[in-house]
Amino acid sequence: MTMALAASSPAFSSEPPKEGITLSGLSLTVEGDSLRVRFRAHIGRQATEGQNYKLTLRPVLSGGGHELALRNIEVYGRRVELLEARSGRAEVAGLPTHDLRQPAAGSQRAHEGETADYSVSVPLERWMETAGLRIERERSGCCRTERLGTVEAAPALPSLPKPSPAGVKSRATELAAAAGAASTGDSLARSFGFVEPLSALETRMATSSAAKGLFDPDMELNMGYGTAPSQQAEIDRYIVEGEKGALTVHFRQGKHLLERHFRDNNTMLVNLVSSIRMLQESKTSRVVRVVIVGSASPEGTLAFNDRLAWNRAVALKDFLLRNTAFPADSMTLFNGSEDWRGLRKLVAASDLYEREEILRIIDNVPVTQGRELELMKLSGGRPYLYMLEHMFPDLRNAAFIKVYYENVPDPAAEALATGAALVSQGRYAEALTVLRGAAEGSGRDLLEGSARLFSGDEAGAAPLLERAAACGEPEARKLLDQLHAASAPREVGTVELPGRR
């Protein structure tokens, strides 16, 4: 940041003024964390108005109730200079001229008839950005000191408006929301019903009648020789409680070959593989388990359909192993056998004339006691033929596919979200501590720069805000513009320091 206060000066002749002092090139410039005051003093040939006198110029910064005296300039008369030159001689060594011959500590010495360049740098404080500069003058001799009055070299500016945190707080709220945004898994779950958080599965298992035995490594599994009725009922309940949004792929009648372009399989398989890959590549989520339930339509023998259902689940498992890096031991397969549950759902939603009788048979006649035969006999087989053509194809599938994930903590994202929230609340010191662990980027630069700025560390804030602005953060640019508001020079003209008369 640069704040300049300049005095325009006419062309000076090489001949200095006879009396008084003229200042030119006056400037106050902020250089990093310092304020530099510069001017050129054209000293008259009789500026002290007496050979035995010394003229002291004391520049003072003032503004906003603050003051700071800068390094003095001391101008010596001719006799004082002669006394100093002769001070080593015995006949003048004892003269009381030490107060005139020796400049005050830290003062800058100057002589009548010369031009002196003055430059002082002091640690920058906020009030100095609008400070004025006055010159206090004092004339002293061996016996007395005379105050000559003060000259206002440059008036103080009106107080500059302080940078406002309002815009940054609003942006910080946005950054907090973005940093704490939905994880990959949460986003996928909103788009695809077959993606669910693991907590949903755990809750379902803990509260449902299907919980007992499922996902137990010692659970009863029939591997293709007919699913036990109790096991089938348990699987059916599990599917009913979690089937909403489940992904389904289809197979041709009596086949377990998975075909990509059969019915809508391509869309389903692409969505399935893409979701698993996204979860595996995500920094915010990870896939924990994939559950596959294979099933078959009810036509044919139970033994054949039972094996077919299992083989369809295995076919899908093999497909995932070939197309993702998901481990086999994290896939859970169930043999859903004949999908009577699905058939009942389709019949209940239909307008078949024999609908109620079909539902009665499905609900009351066991599969092993001729349920399918009863349906084939009903109304001369007409309802069965209708179901065979219009409903059974939808049941020839891997009926239930769910992908379960859990979110992974991201300390860097959490630090950014927390830091942003603290900035939005004006808790800058806490924000600076938290943001140390945040991921690097324009968001962190804006937040850290803002927190430093509003904590009083403008020098530390500026480079961070510059980086954020360069990356397109508009609030950073606004703050920088406010910080640079004092950069335009002020023209105050030539400053004359008159003589005593």
Side-chain angles (χ1 to χ4, degrees):
M1 177 179 72
T2 299
M3 184 272 293
L5 173 130
S8 62
S9 56
F12 284 92
S13 66
S14 58
E15 186 72 16
K18 183 177 181 181
E19 296 181 357
I21 298 173
T22 301
L23 305 184
S24 66
L26 176 62
S27 68
L28 279 72
T29 306
V30 175
E31 299 175 345
D33 56 358
S34 299
L35 176 71
R36 183 169 295 278
V37 178
R38 293 187 181 92
F39 58 80
R40 175 166 286 186
H42 304 269
I43 304 169
R45 296 187 305 277
Q46 299 178 17
T48 61
E49 299 184 58
Q51 297 182 8
N52 295 325
Y53 286 89
K54 174 178 71 175
L55 179 63
T56 300
L57 306 179
R58 183 177 298 107
V60 179
L61 288 170
S62 63
H66 301 272
E67 286 192 352
L68 180 66
L70 305 179
R71 186 175 69 225
N72 293 345
I73 299 178
E74 296 186 352
V75 181
Y76 294 84
R78 293 281 299 168
R79 182 163 178 74
V80 175
E81 293 178 11
L82 290 173
L83 286 172
E84 183 181 59
R86 298 169 183 170
S87 61
R89 300 162 112 185
E91 64 268 26
V92 296
L95 290 177
T97 58
H98 59 277
D99 60 323
L100 303 180
R101 296 198 309 268
Q102 302 299 325
S107 295
Q108 177 176 335
R109 183 168 180 170
H111 304 284
E112 291 179 314
E114 75 173 15
T115 296
D117 290 320
Y118 182 87
S119 179
V120 171
S121 180
V122 295
L124 178 66
E125 297 180 29
R126 175 82 179 162
W127 64 269
M128 295 178 183
E129 295 178 0
T130 56
L133 183 72
R134 69 174 186 265
I135 308 294
E136 297 178 351
R137 299 176 300 148
E138 184 178 277
R139 182 172 177 266
S140 55
C142 62
C143 301
R144 68 193 181 104
T145 297
E146 179 183 8
R147 297 188 182 280
L148 300 182
T150 298
V151 174
E152 294 292 337
L157 285 172
S159 296
L160 293 174
K162 293 183 178 181
S164 170
V168 169
K169 287 183 176 181
S170 176
R171 177 64 178 139
T173 300
E174 295 176 0
L175 289 172
S183 66
T184 302
D186 294 339
S187 297
L188 287 170
R190 284 200 290 263
S191 301
F192 301 111
F194 65 87
V195 179
E196 286 190 348
L198 184 62
S199 57
L201 173 63
E202 293 170 343
T203 300
R204 187 181 305 131
M205 291 176 62
T207 59
S208 74
S209 58
K212 185 177 180 180
L214 289 183
F215 302 104
D216 180 350
D218 298 321
M219 69 183 293
E220 179 185 356
L221 288 176
N222 189 308
M223 303 300 290
Y225 302 102
T227 304
S230 60
Q231 179 70 12
Q232 183 65 53
E234 189 175 13
I235 293 173
D236 284 347
R237 285 195 296 271
Y238 173 73
I239 293 174
V240 167
E241 292 169 2
E243 68 179 343
K244 183 178 180 181
L247 184 142
T248 299
V249 297
H250 294 88
F251 295 83
R252 296 186 186 276
Q253 182 177 8
K255 306 294 183 182
H256 62 268
L257 175 66
L258 182 58
E259 299 180 47
R260 176 172 183 172
H261 296 289
F262 179 62
R263 298 187 62 171
D264 59 352
N265 281 359
N266 187 55
T267 299
M268 298 296 104
L269 294 174
V270 166
N271 289 344
L272 177 61
V273 170
S274 298
S275 297
I276 293 176
R277 288 179 180 176
M278 286 181 66
L279 288 168
Q280 290 181 307
E281 295 169 2
S282 172
K283 294 181 179 180
T284 60
S285 305
R286 68 185 185 94
V287 59
V288 178
R289 186 190 297 275
V290 174
V291 178
I292 304 170
V293 180
S295 63
S297 55
E299 77 271 25
T301 66
L302 177 58
F304 176 82
N305 288 337
D306 197 62
R307 287 191 296 271
L308 181 62
W310 177 255
N311 287 335
R312 286 173 173 173
V314 171
L316 189 58
K317 173 185 175 182
D318 291 342
F319 168 81
L320 291 178
L321 291 176
R322 289 192 301 270
N323 291 278
T324 71
F326 194 65
D329 58 6
S330 294
M331 296 186 194
T332 301
L333 273 61
F334 289 120
N335 185 353
S337 193
E338 295 181 341
D339 190 8
W340 289 101
R341 178 198 57 79
L343 178 61
R344 189 188 192 288
K345 186 176 180 181
L346 292 174
V347 171
S350 73
D351 58 358
L352 281 170
Y353 180 78
E354 297 87 351
R355 181 180 61 188
E356 297 304 321
E357 184 62 20
I358 295 171
L359 295 177
R360 183 194 65 77
I361 293 172
I362 292 174
D363 292 341
N364 296 285
V365 179
V367 175
T368 55
Q369 295 181 22
R371 179 187 297 174
E372 185 180 6
L373 184 59
E374 288 292 321
L375 291 175
M376 293 173 71
K377 292 179 179 179
L378 181 64
S379 299
R382 186 185 60 81
Y384 183 84
L385 292 175
Y386 178 86
M387 291 187 292
L388 185 65
E389 180 180 357
H390 297 285
M391 297 182 181
F392 284 14
D394 288 336
L395 307 177
R396 297 164 188 153
N397 52 44
F400 183 101
I401 305 167
K402 281 282 179 95
V403 175
Y404 295 100
Y405 70 92
E406 63 183 5
N407 290 327
V408 177
D410 184 348
E414 290 176 4
L416 185 65
T418 303
L422 290 170
V423 169
S424 71
Q425 298 165 22
R427 297 160 62 183
Y428 303 120
E430 295 172 73
L432 286 172
T433 300
V434 172
L435 287 169
R436 293 173 189 162
E440 294 183 356
S442 60
R444 172 178 167 173
D445 288 340
L446 171 65
L447 295 171
E448 187 176 350
S450 301
R452 288 185 181 278
L453 174 63
F454 297 118
S455 297
D457 181 13
E458 292 184 8
L464 293 166
L465 294 174
E466 291 284 3
R467 278 207 311 257
C471 292
E473 283 288 351
E475 290 304 325
R477 176 51 56 197
K478 290 178 184 177
L479 289 177
L480 288 170
D481 289 344
Q482 293 174 32
L483 284 175
H484 297 162
S487 61
R490 275 191 292 158
E491 300 294 339
V492 296
T494 301
V495 179
E496 298 287 351
L497 306 182
R500 185 162 55 99
R501 298 178 184 84

